[in-house]
Amino acid sequence: MMSGAVIMAWRLQTYMYLEFSVLAILVYDYCITLGTEVRCIWDRSWTFVRVLFLVARYVPFILVPMFIYYTFGSSFMNDCPLFGDGTLCQTVNCER
């Protein structure tokens, strides 16, 4: 039977992989559809649909990295040798 700390570490690692895979899929989608976007969107006049498309297309490139940084930021792995910040350490009662 796995301890609570091991289960929490496994879940955290899985969550980190999912977040970075979302970012990779966004970059991949952007790269393969950029030519079509340039041809169909960039030369058009400004309409509500164009603004909506551009917001939907580019806001995730701002939000996903921000979410990754604030979730797994530079101070995340400093406090607890296994998980990161002290609150998570206190939740799973890991040794300091």
Side-chain angles (χ1 to χ4, degrees):
M1 176 140 200
M2 293 193 305
S3 70
V6 173
I7 292 171
M8 188 65 100
W10 180 76
R11 287 180 181 170
L12 179 64
Q13 186 68 39
T14 303
Y15 188 71
M16 288 173 70
Y17 286 151
L18 287 173
E19 285 299 318
F20 283 101
S21 65
V22 166
L23 184 60
I25 290 169
L26 279 172
V27 170
Y28 175 75
D29 178 63
Y30 177 80
C31 290
I32 65 172
T33 59
L34 181 62
T36 305
E37 177 185 341
V38 169
R39 188 175 60 251
C40 297
I41 300 294
W42 288 9
D43 292 335
R44 307 284 180 190
S45 61
W46 285 95
T47 64
F48 177 73
V49 174
R50 182 180 180 190
V51 171
L52 188 63
F53 172 81
L54 292 174
V55 166
R57 175 105 165 141
Y58 291 103
V59 166
F61 283 104
I62 298 168
L63 294 181
V64 170
M66 281 178 33
F67 184 75
I68 290 172
Y69 177 76
Y70 287 116
T71 303
F72 310 111
S74 60
S75 65
F76 184 73
M77 296 297 177
N78 292 337
D79 295 334
C80 177
L82 185 58
F83 296 107
D85 66 1
T87 57
L88 187 56
C89 282
Q90 293 165 359
T91 302
V92 296
N93 297 321
C94 72
E95 297 294 323
R96 286 186 175 252

